[in-house]
Amino acid sequence: MSYELSINGEKYIVDVDGDIPLLWVIRDTIGLTGTKFGCGIAMCGACTVHVDGVPVRACVMPVADAAAKPITTIEAIGETAEGARVQKAWLDIDVVQCGYCQSGQIMSAAALLAANPSPTDDDIDAVMAGNICRCGTYPRIRAAIKLAAAGR
């Protein structure tokens, strides 16, 4: 079946089964590889994208559920005010170690700041708990989110 997707402001027509996870359509059909596969069961957050402005785990969201809704991936999050501040803070704090989880971390952090421009440590912990960093950069992630929030 054909689905029209709006990803990062671009329109794509894809001919795929409706139950294929959005992640595989973004990566394999469209060719945007910034969104990562981590676990396949929505537990690690590496595949986080925004659908209609809400962070979702693309590894479990059927493409049919995302059709006709605006989708933002890591490739375009820097075009939003929150995303640009988060990306700058990530670089300023030097958050990245191996980097594999960072696209999902940044997507969740940008969504947090869009919903709550002045998050507390508890707010940050609650939202970011769904994103796993195997390198343990959590203190730098929190510091970068606070820096991005201060930069509004």
Side-chain angles (χ1 to χ4, degrees):
M1 179 155 195
S2 288
Y3 295 94
E4 182 174 313
L5 301 176
S6 175
I7 301 177
N8 302 331
E10 299 286 329
K11 299 287 185 201
Y12 297 90
I13 304 294
V14 296
D15 188 20
V16 296
D17 290 334
D19 61 348
I20 289 181
L22 178 60
L23 174 66
W24 300 122
V25 174
I26 290 170
R27 288 184 58 83
D28 295 343
T29 304
I30 294 169
L32 298 173
T33 57
T35 304
K36 303 301 182 197
F37 173 79
C39 67
I41 57 173
M43 297 298 294
C44 74
C47 66
T48 303
V49 299
H50 296 178
V51 176
D52 236 355
V54 177
V56 300
R57 303 304 190 243
C59 71
V60 296
M61 178 177 229
V63 69
D65 291 352
K69 298 176 183 171
I71 301 163
T72 305
T73 69
I74 190 67
E75 286 87 355
I77 196 64
E79 296 171 14
T80 69
E82 297 83 11
R85 287 196 322 268
V86 168
Q87 287 179 331
K88 182 178 182 328
W90 241 246
L91 294 172
D92 290 348
I93 299 288
D94 199 20
V95 170
V96 179
Q97 190 161 324
C98 87
Y100 196 82
C101 70
Q102 297 305 302
S103 60
Q105 300 278 1
I106 289 169
M107 296 301 290
S108 291
L112 166 63
L113 293 181
N116 180 356
S118 300
T120 65
D121 284 350
D122 288 343
D123 296 333
I124 294 169
D125 291 347
V127 168
M128 301 304 291
N131 291 80
I132 295 172
C133 174
R134 293 181 181 140
C135 298
T137 63
Y138 301 112
R140 294 194 309 253
I141 290 168
R142 180 186 288 143
I145 293 170
K146 286 181 173 186
L147 181 62
R152 25 182 186 112

